[in-house]
Amino acid sequence: MPSSVALLITGASTGLLAGGASCAAIQGGLLAGAVTRRRAPAPTSVRKTPRNSLPASETATPLAPVGAFLVGKLLSHTLLGVLLGIFGSALQPSPRVQAVLMLAAGLLMVLFALDLFGVKGVGRLVPRPPASFGRLMRRSTKTDSAVTPALIGFATVLVPCGVTLSMELLAITSGSAVAGAAVMAGFVLGTSPLFAVLGYLFRRSSQALSGRLAALTGVVVLVVAVWTMASALQAGGWVSFRTPGKTTAASGPFIVEGVEENDPLYDPGAGQTGVDLAPVSIDASGKQIVTLTVTDFYVPTQFTARAGVPTTLVLHGKDSGGCARAFTIPELGVQEIVKRDGDTEIDLGTRKPGTLRFSCAMGMQTGAIDFKKDLQ
């Protein structure tokens, strides 16, 4: 079993090299909304500041809310690592629960965006700590901007990105609280430089221009919110926004869809739609084998297979990476981390006619198997 130090280094290097961009795509909107929120008007009873001085919150370093966000994120992920190391996969939410959490995050981003636009009444809906807790924190930090970013950073554990799921699996298999905490803490530390730069830029620009970038930031947050909610709907297996490409026939009596002629894996001379293994086949025992090749993408993305036949899905890892490695079938509650190079088998049982959707954990890569009766 790897040592805790080795797991810490593994987590940090993964976060630095791969996790930062992946997590920024889904959590960046939360960060932007947290560090550039419009401040609520000060109560009239508050003592006025001298004319030539600025409020403490304006003179505070722009890194304060960014640091609070990262500290909250580090704390929650470290605690999750402890729990995963102790209790293992029992704490892993199902794909559809994760999709619901992504939808909630998207809705929260919408609130942040509307708050940045100055929409009246929205500020009451934006999560804020209790007033008494806020006063306590302000006495010690001299700023009103650190509490909410810390809470939002803590809550990012509920909205994992694709690479985070790989680290969670590593924490589960570590077998100890210390090792689980090490891998998750290392991962967050590895992603921190990119998050710190993004947060600093969001915060600094809004201060330098006296808030005139609030509307622009709101647009960015709103776009990320829409993207997040669309991904969540796909990750939950409820909808698919993919437009099927030109279809090609596989060898044998089955049709495989979704490999276009301009796809780098397409090879009409291979008789197998360009992948290493026949996408749909029947073995000697009569079992139907559906083979999905996983690189940074899924190939093919659409299958047509025979219903009423015992079926096994083979995830054929071929230098797999990114979100595609975190494979899910929401309808069945299946979650698998695809081997970088190698096969992972999933028993689908005997399927009735209908469509079975699959996706990566973030809903960015999707596909489906269309089971048909009496397919010739």
Side-chain angles (χ1 to χ4, degrees), residues 9-354:
I9 295 174
T10 298
S13 59
T14 302
L16 183 63
L17 299 176
S22 174
C23 292
I26 192 170
Q27 297 172 356
L30 291 173
L31 172 62
V35 303
T36 60
R37 292 184 308 112
R38 294 172 63 92
R39 294 182 180 82
T44 55
S45 60
V46 175
R47 184 178 59 187
K48 294 183 179 180
T49 57
R51 179 175 299 179
N52 295 328
S53 63
L54 292 173
S57 61
E58 294 295 332
T59 58
T61 171
L63 283 177
V66 180
F69 178 91
L70 294 175
V71 169
K73 183 179 179 181
L74 176 63
L75 179 60
S76 65
H77 282 70
T78 302
L79 291 175
L80 176 63
V82 170
L83 295 176
L84 291 178
I86 296 174
F87 299 107
S89 59
L91 293 174
Q92 285 287 85
S94 69
R96 284 190 167 165
V97 170
Q98 293 182 23
V100 169
L101 293 174
M102 287 179 65
L103 280 173
L107 292 174
L108 180 60
M109 292 181 207
V110 171
L111 291 178
F112 283 141
L114 295 178
D115 192 32
L116 288 168
F117 291 146
V119 177
K120 293 183 178 180
V122 174
R124 300 176 182 177
L125 302 177
V126 175
R128 289 184 173 89
S132 58
F133 183 63
R135 287 193 296 269
L136 177 63
M137 292 298 295
R138 283 195 291 272
R139 292 193 193 103
S140 59
T141 63
K142 304 301 182 183
T143 176
D144 62 355
S145 60
V147 179
T148 297
L151 295 177
I152 295 173
F154 191 90
T156 56
V157 72
L158 300 176
V159 193
C161 59
V163 182
T164 306
L165 297 175
S166 300
M167 294 296 99
E168 290 177 2
L169 179 64
L170 187 58
I172 288 172
T173 58
S174 67
S176 77
V178 174
V183 67
M184 295 305 296
F187 177 73
V188 173
L189 291 174
T191 63
S192 293
L194 178 58
F195 272 85
V197 171
L198 290 176
Y200 178 84
L201 292 177
F202 280 130
R203 182 70 175 177
R204 192 66 178 178
S205 60
S206 63
Q207 287 184 348
L209 298 180
S210 302
R212 282 178 286 181
L213 283 185
L216 178 59
T217 303
V219 171
V220 173
V221 174
L222 191 59
V223 170
V224 174
V226 173
W227 178 85
T228 299
M229 290 188 288
S231 296
L233 291 173
Q234 293 194 127
W238 296 302
V239 299
S240 176
F241 300 110
R242 177 180 292 276
T243 302
K246 182 178 179 180
T247 62
T248 59
S251 58
F254 305 104
I255 299 174
V256 179
E257 305 172 351
V259 180
E260 301 181 10
E261 291 184 357
N262 59 358
D263 192 293
L265 294 179
Y266 176 75
D267 181 7
Q272 297 175 344
T273 64
V275 294
D276 293 339
L277 304 172
V280 182
S281 61
I282 299 289
D283 66 12
S285 66
K287 179 184 293 185
Q288 182 172 229
I289 307 297
V290 178
T291 301
L292 175 67
T293 298
V294 182
T295 56
D296 287 335
F297 307 95
Y298 296 141
V299 180
T301 57
Q302 300 288 327
F303 297 85
T304 301
R306 182 179 295 172
V309 178
T311 303
T312 295
L313 174 62
V314 177
L315 305 177
H316 179 57
K318 188 176 181 180
D319 193 25
S320 63
C323 178
R325 290 195 69 195
F327 178 86
T328 70
I329 304 178
E331 180 181 330
L332 303 181
V334 170
Q335 299 183 88
E336 291 287 346
I337 301 298
V338 180
K339 296 177 181 178
R340 187 168 296 279
D341 290 288
D343 292 344
T344 302
E345 295 188 358
I346 300 174
D347 183 12
L348 300 181
T350 302
R351 301 292 304 176
K352 296 180 180 180

